[in-house]
Amino acid sequence: NSHTPAVTPVWSTDDALTASFTGNKLTTFLEGAVIVTADAGGGITATTGLTVGPAVVESIVIDISHHNLQVAKGLSQVYHATGVMSDGTNEDISGTGMWSSSDNNVATFIGNIATTLQLGTTTISVSRDSVTQSTSLTVLQPTLVSIAVTPASPGLSNGTTLQLTATGTYTDGSTPDLTSSAIWDSSDISNVTVDAAGLITWVSSGGATVKATHDGKYGVTHVDAHKVICTELYAQGKLPKDIWEADM
């Protein structure tokens, strides 16, 4: 009742290694079960049970190198995050957190790996123990990965030309024809020349490496230029006979 003086009990546990009190503030140390006692004096006590569970996430830090990323379409991005735990430790929660994208048309997750699908910006979030942290991901135009020049290792005889083709492979798997937009070059124009459209021309016997460059990537093919000589030998009483020999 209103005339009963306030009593400040003395708090304690039966296992100070698992949990203990400072005043009425309880600090937990180990997982386990303890009995909490409030002693009001004069033989008046009250008890209750307490179970200390595993430490939980109090805050999340997404790796700073993954903040507001810009990634080419078709590429995957591995995300990492650290959980600041209730026991004061840090834990890598990259694999145990729940990762998600606010727009699964732009990017989608399997585990902590985001796969980019189309151009746009999406919010990337990671959650654990009801705590969430977010950042943004912007998907940009696909970038060129490699160039293939075909035909591979062609032969070229005197007086002939050959059209080469440059095909690009991009991060989204597309393979456009780059023949007209690539910069073409021959390693030895005394043997083989190449024009701006990728057409190679025999000059003399020998070899040359022809290179197609586009957006900082290049592909090559080695051209074997050789001379073909037609010699007509006439044998007495026989018809003309053509003998072809390759001057490599």
Side-chain angles (χ1 to χ4, degrees):
N1 58 53
S2 60
H3 300 289
T4 302
V7 176
T8 302
V10 176
W11 296 88
S12 64
T13 69
D14 67 338
D15 185 355
L17 295 178
T18 300
S20 67
F21 279 94
T22 300
N24 64 342
K25 181 180 179 181
L26 178 68
T27 302
T28 58
F29 304 106
L30 302 173
E31 295 180 41
V34 296
I35 296 175
V36 174
T37 299
D39 188 344
I44 301 173
T45 61
T47 60
T48 187
L50 173 72
T51 299
V52 180
V56 296
V57 173
E58 291 190 332
S59 63
I60 296 174
V61 179
I62 296 176
D63 193 298
I64 192 169
S65 65
H66 301 153
H67 288 190
N68 307 319
L69 282 178
Q70 296 182 332
V71 177
K73 178 186 175 184
L75 292 181
S76 295
Q77 175 63 48
V78 179
Y79 278 87
H80 296 281
T82 300
V84 180
M85 311 303 290
S86 58
D87 62 358
T89 62
N90 293 333
E91 180 181 328
D92 183 354
I93 63 167
S94 304
T96 58
M98 180 66 69
W99 295 89
S100 63
S101 166
S102 64
D103 189 342
N104 286 326
N105 292 319
V106 174
T108 187
F109 272 93
I110 296 179
N112 63 324
I113 303 174
T115 299
T116 59
L117 302 174
Q118 70 178 30
L119 307 188
T121 299
T122 183
T123 299
I124 302 301
S125 300
V126 57
S127 301
R128 197 179 115 173
D129 298 339
S130 300
V131 179
T132 301
Q133 186 58 269
S134 301
T135 187
S136 69
L137 170 65
T138 299
V139 180
L140 305 177
Q141 293 284 353
T143 57
L144 182 61
V145 177
S146 63
I147 297 176
V149 177
T150 54
S153 303
L156 194 65
S157 59
N158 52 307
T160 61
T161 62
L162 179 66
Q163 179 63 54
L164 299 181
T165 300
T167 303
T169 299
Y170 282 75
T171 53
D172 64 349
S174 59
T175 55
D177 187 340
L178 303 178
T179 304
S180 61
S181 58
I183 297 174
W184 293 90
D185 178 61
S186 170
S187 66
D188 193 341
I189 59 175
S190 66
N191 294 332
V192 178
T193 61
V194 60
D195 68 11
L199 182 69
I200 57 175
T201 301
W202 182 94
V203 178
S204 66
S205 298
T209 298
V210 176
K211 179 169 67 173
T213 303
H214 186 86
D215 286 347
K217 303 293 183 180
Y218 67 88
V220 300
T221 190
H222 182 76
V223 180
D224 178 22
H226 56 272
K227 180 186 294 183
V228 176
I229 304 172
C230 177
T231 304
E232 293 184 348
L233 296 180
Y234 294 87
Q236 184 176 1
K238 296 182 180 179
L239 294 175
K241 180 181 180 182
D242 292 341
I243 299 177
W244 294 81
E245 60 184 35
D247 177 16
M248 304 302 292

